[in-house]
Amino acid sequence: QVQLVESGGGLVQAGGSLGLSCEVSGRTFSSSAMGWFRQAPGVEREFVAAISKDGSRVTYGDSVKGRFTISRDNAKNTVYLQMNSLKPEDTAVYYCAARQVSSSGIVHTSRILYPYWGQGTQVTVSS
């Protein structure tokens, strides 16, 4: 059984920073590509960032490029999302997701491809 637990959400002022963590249970983390998605009211869950299972490749959604950084520590079974220069439009519930992959460099940007999801953590950016 794979379980993902996000933490680190909260309230922050525009221009501030916030770091999210996602701890993954089980033996599958090191073989999993990881992603961060977010969902605001009235819109579909959107892609934020993804990282390959070995951390060698990362990719970001256009709206967060240059501001967010995804990283992982396979020894701790944890993926991180460092969010800087936050904007009110970043307000959403942030979810981490995992998909087991065989290729080291693969990243997934579509939520459809991720079978495992965390419960989400609320990020609110005030203007």
Side-chain angles (χ1 to χ4, degrees):
Q1 182 69 41
V2 178
Q3 291 184 299
L4 292 72
V5 180
E6 301 99 333
S7 62
L11 176 64
V12 64
Q13 294 183 0
S17 298
L18 201 62
L20 306 181
S21 298
C22 176
E23 298 181 21
V24 183
S25 67
R27 302 172 179 267
T28 63
F29 183 77
S30 62
S31 64
S32 297
M34 300 294 299
W36 285 98
F37 294 78
R38 66 188 184 186
Q39 187 166 23
V43 299
E44 293 185 354
R45 192 169 300 185
E46 69 170 338
F47 170 72
V48 175
I51 188 168
S52 61
K53 68 178 183 179
D54 64 356
S56 64
R57 296 182 185 273
V58 297
T59 190
Y60 300 93
D62 289 341
S63 63
V64 306
K65 287 180 180 177
R67 300 188 297 120
F68 291 11
T69 302
I70 188 171
S71 61
R72 67 190 296 161
D73 186 340
N74 284 4
K76 296 181 178 180
N77 280 13
T78 302
V79 63
Y80 306 94
L81 184 68
Q82 179 63 43
M83 304 182 292
N84 299 324
S85 301
L86 284 162
K87 306 174 181 179
E89 51 263 44
D90 294 319
T91 296
V93 177
Y94 283 71
Y95 299 88
C96 64
R99 179 181 176 87
Q100 290 182 275
V101 296
S102 58
S103 299
S104 296
I106 195 169
V107 293
H108 290 305
T109 61
S110 174
R111 66 183 188 276
I112 298 174
L113 297 175
Y114 288 95
Y116 302 109
W117 293 84
Q119 82 288 351
T121 185
Q122 176 71 47
V123 173
T124 302
V125 184
S126 62
S127 60

